[in-house]
C-alpha cells in the first residue's frame, strides 16, 4: 500500500510516499534518489521492500530534481542540504512509527548523501545500501 507523506525541515516541506504491506512494520528503509531525479525512481525498490515486510520511505529532496514535489529551489540544494533533509526524515519516521531499525538505500548522489548521514548517525543506522 502506497500513501503520501510529508516531513518538515526548517520552513520547508519534504514530500514523498510510504510503502507498507504489514500494519506495524518493525524495520524501515529510507530510499534516496539521485541527482536530477525524484522519489519515483525508487518506487520499484520500495514496493519490493514493503513486500518483504519493511516500511519503505521515498521522498524528494528539497530543490532536488526534475518533477520534484518538495519545497526549495535547485540552486539552493547541495549534498549537505540533502543530508539535513534525510536526517529530518529519519527522525520523523522514528517518532511517527516507533521504528528504531532504520536502513538507508541510496541511488547515485543519494548514495553519497546516505553515506554521509550514516557516518554522522552511525548509532542509529543499521544497514547502508549504496
Amino acid at each position: 500500500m502506497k500513501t503520501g507523506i510529508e516531513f518538515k525541515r526548517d520552513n520547508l516541506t519534504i514530500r514523498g510516499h510510504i510503502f507498507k504491506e504489514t500494519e506495524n512494520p518493525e524495520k524501515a528503509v529510507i530510499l534516496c534518489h539521485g541527482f536530477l531525479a525524484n522519489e519515483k525512481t525508487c518506487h520499484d525498490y520500495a514496493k519490493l521492500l514493503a513486500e518483504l515486510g519493511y516500511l519503505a520511505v521515498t521522498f524528494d529532496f528539497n530543490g532536488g530534481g526534475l518533477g520534484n514535489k518538495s519545497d526549495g529551489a535547485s540552486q539552493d540544494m547541495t549534498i549537505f542540504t540533502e543530508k539535513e533533509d534525510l536526517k529530518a526524515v529519519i527522525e520523523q519516521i522514528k517518532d511517527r512509527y516507533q521504528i528504531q531499525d532504520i536502513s538507508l538505500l541510496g541511488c547515485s548522489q543519494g548514495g553519497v548523501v546516505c553515506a554521509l548521514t550514516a557516518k554522522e548517525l552511525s548509532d542509529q543506522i543499521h544497514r547502508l545500501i549504496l
Side-chain angles (χ1 to χ4, degrees):
M1 171 176 59
K2 174 178 94 169
T3 54
I5 192 166
E6 292 185 349
F7 306 96
K8 295 290 185 185
R9 179 179 67 80
D10 301 325
N11 293 323
L12 300 169
T13 300
I14 301 166
R15 293 176 180 85
H17 291 91
I18 58 167
F19 296 76
K20 66 178 183 171
E21 296 294 326
T22 59
E23 190 58 35
N24 295 307
E26 295 179 8
K27 299 177 182 183
V29 178
I30 301 172
L31 299 94
C32 296
H33 66 79
F35 181 67
L36 289 180
N38 61 54
E39 55 107 15
K40 291 179 186 173
T41 62
C42 297
H43 281 192
D44 286 340
Y45 293 130
K47 289 176 194 173
L48 175 62
L49 289 161
E51 289 172 8
L52 294 172
Y54 291 89
L55 175 76
V57 182
T58 62
F59 67 96
D60 286 336
F61 288 111
N62 285 311
L66 303 173
N68 184 12
K69 303 290 186 215
S70 293
D71 292 348
S74 60
Q75 64 266 26
D76 297 328
M77 181 272 301
T78 69
I79 58 173
F80 304 109
T81 62
E82 288 186 344
K83 182 179 74 155
E84 294 306 312
D85 289 348
L86 177 54
K87 287 169 51 180
V89 170
I90 291 167
E91 286 307 311
Q92 291 170 55
I93 287 296
K94 288 169 61 176
D95 289 345
R96 289 181 197 181
Y97 295 96
Q98 303 304 302
I99 295 176
Q100 298 302 313
D101 189 326
I102 304 282
S103 298
L104 302 179
L105 186 156
C107 302
S108 193
Q109 183 169 303
V112 172
V113 174
C114 286
L116 292 170
T117 304
K119 181 175 179 3
E120 188 172 321
L121 303 178
S122 62
D123 59 329
Q124 298 178 45
I125 304 303
H126 289 89
R127 287 165 215 88
L128 181 60
I129 305 140
L130 306 176

